[in-house]
Amino acid sequence: VKDRIVIPVRDTRYNVVGLIGRAVHDWQDPRYLYNKGFKRADILFNIQNAKKFDECIVVEGSLDCAKVIQAGYKNCVATLGAKVSPNQSSMLRKWFDKIIIFSDRDDAGDAMCDAIIRSCEGKDLSRMVIPNHVKDPCEMSEHEIQKAYQNKQTIIGGR
């Protein structure tokens, strides 16, 4: 498929387990394509780098994740969609003590936040808030992301 940016997806051991084809034009549909056989529910994007930290920031998309990393937070992972699978929840619980939810500013983002809260009970949970003028982390400046991190709101303190 032409005119797409190809983004590799790696597992915890740095093995490439999938490819994301991101549209570069607004008219392209769908915006994201995944290689045949790739199961988004089995991976957290950037887990291979983020697992080195006790704390992680969880976003929905790979480009949201890249933007958060550019803002200075290498501990970011993406669920590659608003749904959080049991496998993804298990990875979050296994690798991180502190989980910061940075979901999109929409109903699907709220559902993602709720799913992480339910599935990661006992962890230290916080939420970064997206400003009113944007819909997701990818639309934010590095300064806005840093400010959102500094002003994160505690949801549930860990045990």
Side-chain angles (χ1 to χ4, degrees):
V1 178
K2 295 181 180 180
D3 292 337
R4 290 189 181 267
I5 298 167
V6 177
I7 304 165
V9 181
R10 298 177 183 276
D11 65 13
T12 58
R13 294 180 300 268
Y14 289 84
N15 297 310
V16 174
V17 294
L19 300 170
I20 303 169
R22 170 60 160 90
V24 295
H25 304 289
D26 291 338
W27 52 263
Q28 287 176 287
D29 192 43
R31 190 165 37 162
Y32 291 95
L33 290 175
Y34 300 89
N35 63 288
K36 189 174 183 172
F38 175 58
K39 293 180 174 61
R40 293 181 282 168
D42 290 342
I43 197 71
L44 288 169
F45 182 81
N46 196 47
I47 186 68
Q48 77 279 7
N49 295 311
K51 70 177 186 175
K52 300 169 189 166
F53 301 90
D54 292 331
E55 172 186 276
C56 80
I57 299 170
V58 183
V59 298
E60 292 180 36
S62 56
L63 296 182
D64 295 324
C65 189
K67 189 70 178 251
V68 172
I69 292 168
Q70 284 179 336
Y73 304 97
K74 294 177 176 33
N75 58 330
C76 188
V77 297
T79 56
L80 302 177
K83 294 193 181 207
V84 181
S85 73
N87 286 343
Q88 291 170 326
S89 294
S90 177
M91 283 187 273
L92 289 172
R93 288 190 309 271
K94 175 182 178 179
W95 293 104
F96 307 106
D97 295 323
K98 297 179 182 178
I99 300 166
I100 303 163
I101 305 161
F102 198 21
S103 55
D104 290 3
R105 189 178 187 85
D106 57 19
D107 290 342
D110 290 340
M112 175 184 160
C113 183
D114 293 343
I116 293 172
I117 291 169
R118 281 192 310 276
S119 65
C120 294
E121 186 179 345
K123 296 293 182 176
D124 186 333
L125 301 173
S126 302
R127 185 170 194 180
M128 290 169 63
V129 178
I130 296 200
N132 290 331
H133 66 280
V134 296
K135 70 176 188 64
D136 60 34
C138 201
E139 294 181 357
M140 296 171 68
S141 70
E142 290 179 18
H143 175 74
E144 288 173 319
I145 292 169
Q146 292 162 356
K147 187 175 176 184
Y149 179 84
Q150 291 163 359
N151 296 323
K152 65 187 174 287
Q153 302 168 348
T154 299
I155 299 170
I156 300 171
R159 294 179 187 157

